[in-house]
Amino acid sequence: MNEFVKNLERIEFVVTMACTGKCKHCSQGNHDSVSEHFRADVAEKVISDICGKYKIQSLMTFGGEPLLYPEVVYRIHKAAAEQGIAKRDLITNGFFTKDNKRINEVVEMLADSGLNGICLSIDAFHQETIPLEPVKYFAECVAKTDMSIKVHPAWLVDETDNNPYNVRTREIMKEFDYLKIPVSSGNVIFPSGNAVKYLGEYFDENKEYTSPYDEDPKDIRAIGFLPNGDVLNGNVYRDNIIDILNGYRPLDCYGV
């Protein structure tokens, strides 16, 4: 087994970069005119192949807004459940339609897929462009199922800072108190993409920021698939995932 990926234990899918929000804090920048999404059939094969070689503990789907393609999300988590992956999570802003009937259908689909955890992104940034009522209804529907759901806010500077964005985030979170949904620690916004463009005044130019999502290139424990099939130094639309894993080398091992 490749020494650089021998501890692989987590799979992540960026289902799509298309999004229903236009958030100032988004690390990916603008999502205009994006429609590409990960192919469900490829995802199913990738999950099966990886689980045949590695003991995968967790899988997550996110975006963009992954529930713009709920059938893809369904098939990914169904495959993960069938392969015995214990932790199967989704990050969503909860807004993919204003149609309550469709919201119910999608929630039922997610519950049937075996998804067992949903992180609901609500905060001052999402709610600048995303209406709250459909998100509330989505949360209400999820709360009636066996799936767990928690509020997952983004904090600027840190959770204790009283900047106007954090103050607004706390106000929005109170809108969900009636559902008694647990609140996660959320995440602190990293200076990348839109965050640099719109929120630069809140970052210390003399501080070196480290992304919380960076992997040790010599000890890969999580791999993330982009909607175009890119992963590590390969692409699963062209190559077998096991060949990609076996052939992976950190850049400095190539003398770069």
Side-chain angles (χ1 to χ4, degrees), residues 13 58 64-65 88 92 94 104 144 149 185 197 207 252:
F13 287 95
S58 65
E65 176 42 55
R88 305 178 296 276
T92 175
N104 268 299
K144 295 174 183 177
I149 182 171
S185 58
K197 182 178 179 180
K207 178 181 177 180
D252 60 2

Side-chain angles (χ1 to χ4, degrees), residues 235-255:
N235 185 290
V236 289
Y237 293 165
R238 297 191 308 262
D239 307 304
N240 180 273
I241 184 58
I242 300 303
D243 291 339
I244 292 173
L245 291 171
N246 288 340
Y248 168 75
R249 298 291 183 276
L251 288 179
D252 60 2
C253 291
Y254 290 105

Side-chain angles (χ1 to χ4, degrees), residues 119-138:
C119 291
L120 182 62
S121 298
I122 57 167
D123 46 54
F125 306 100
H126 286 86
Q127 266 53 66
E128 277 191 328
T129 56
I130 292 172
L132 204 54
E133 290 309 311
V135 179
K136 282 184 180 179
Y137 187 70
F138 171 78

Side-chain angles (χ1 to χ4, degrees), residues 162-222:
N162 283 320
N163 63 73
Y165 291 101
N166 285 359
V167 170
R168 179 60 182 143
T169 291
R170 295 185 192 106
E171 292 173 350
I172 291 168
M173 289 168 59
K174 288 180 181 178
E175 296 272 349
F176 288 78
D177 282 353
Y178 73 102
L179 287 173
K180 304 187 185 312
I181 295 174
V183 178
S184 78
S185 58
N187 62 282
V188 176
I189 296 167
F190 179 76
S192 178
N194 280 357
V196 174
K197 182 178 179 180
Y198 296 110
L199 305 170
E201 63 187 284
Y202 291 96
F203 301 114
D204 184 349
E205 62 182 17
N206 297 314
K207 178 181 177 180
E208 183 177 347
Y209 291 87
T210 302
S211 172
Y213 308 110
D214 284 347
E215 281 280 310
D216 179 352
K218 294 186 177 180
D219 184 19
I220 299 293
R221 294 171 180 265

Side-chain angles (χ1 to χ4, degrees), residues 67-153:
L67 292 183
L68 288 171
Y69 298 95
E71 290 80 11
V72 176
V73 174
Y74 170 86
R75 289 175 62 176
I76 288 174
H77 286 284
K78 191 75 169 177
E82 290 171 353
Q83 291 296 329
I85 299 175
K87 197 172 187 317
R88 305 178 296 276
D89 295 325
L90 165 74
I91 298 180
T92 175
N93 64 36
F95 178 53
F96 48 94
T97 180
K98 292 183 178 179
D99 182 346
N100 284 357
K101 180 180 178 182
R102 179 59 176 164
I103 292 172
N104 268 299
E105 290 173 351
V106 170
V107 170
E108 290 176 3
M109 189 185 305
L110 296 177
D112 183 62
S113 75
L115 177 70
N116 49 27
I118 295 177
C119 291
L120 182 62
S121 298
I122 57 167
D123 46 54
F125 306 100
H126 286 86
Q127 266 53 66
E128 277 191 328
T129 56
I130 292 172
L132 204 54
E133 290 309 311
V135 179
K136 282 184 180 179
Y137 187 70
F138 171 78
E140 290 172 4
C141 292
V142 173
K144 295 174 183 177
T145 72
D146 291 332
M147 296 182 290
S148 68
I149 182 171
K150 57 186 176 182
V151 172
H152 189 66

Side-chain angles (χ1 to χ4, degrees), residues 5-12 46-60 80 83-88 220-223 245:
V5 293
K6 64 182 180 181
N7 295 316
L8 181 64
E9 61 183 8
R10 179 175 172 84
I11 302 172
E12 297 177 348
V46 159
I47 293 167
S48 175
D49 288 348
I50 294 176
C51 289
K53 298 287 184 180
Y54 297 86
K55 181 60 177 176
I56 301 301
Q57 305 293 331
S58 65
L59 179 145
M60 177 174 279
Q83 291 296 329
I85 299 175
K87 197 172 187 317
R88 305 178 296 276
I220 299 293
R221 294 171 180 265
I223 56 170
L245 291 171

Side-chain angles (χ1 to χ4, degrees), residues 8-60:
L8 181 64
E9 61 183 8
R10 179 175 172 84
I11 302 172
E12 297 177 348
F13 287 95
V14 180
V15 174
T16 181
M17 292 304 297
C19 195
T20 50
K22 296 182 181 295
C23 300
K24 288 179 179 176
H25 75 306
C26 183
S27 63
Q28 301 299 323
N30 293 326
H31 297 250
D32 297 335
S33 302
V34 178
S35 60
E36 185 176 32
H37 63 86
F38 204 92
R39 285 172 45 192
D41 60 323
V42 175
E44 290 167 336
K45 185 175 190 315
V46 159
I47 293 167
S48 175
D49 288 348
I50 294 176
C51 289
K53 298 287 184 180
Y54 297 86
K55 181 60 177 176
I56 301 301
Q57 305 293 331
S58 65
L59 179 145
M60 177 174 279

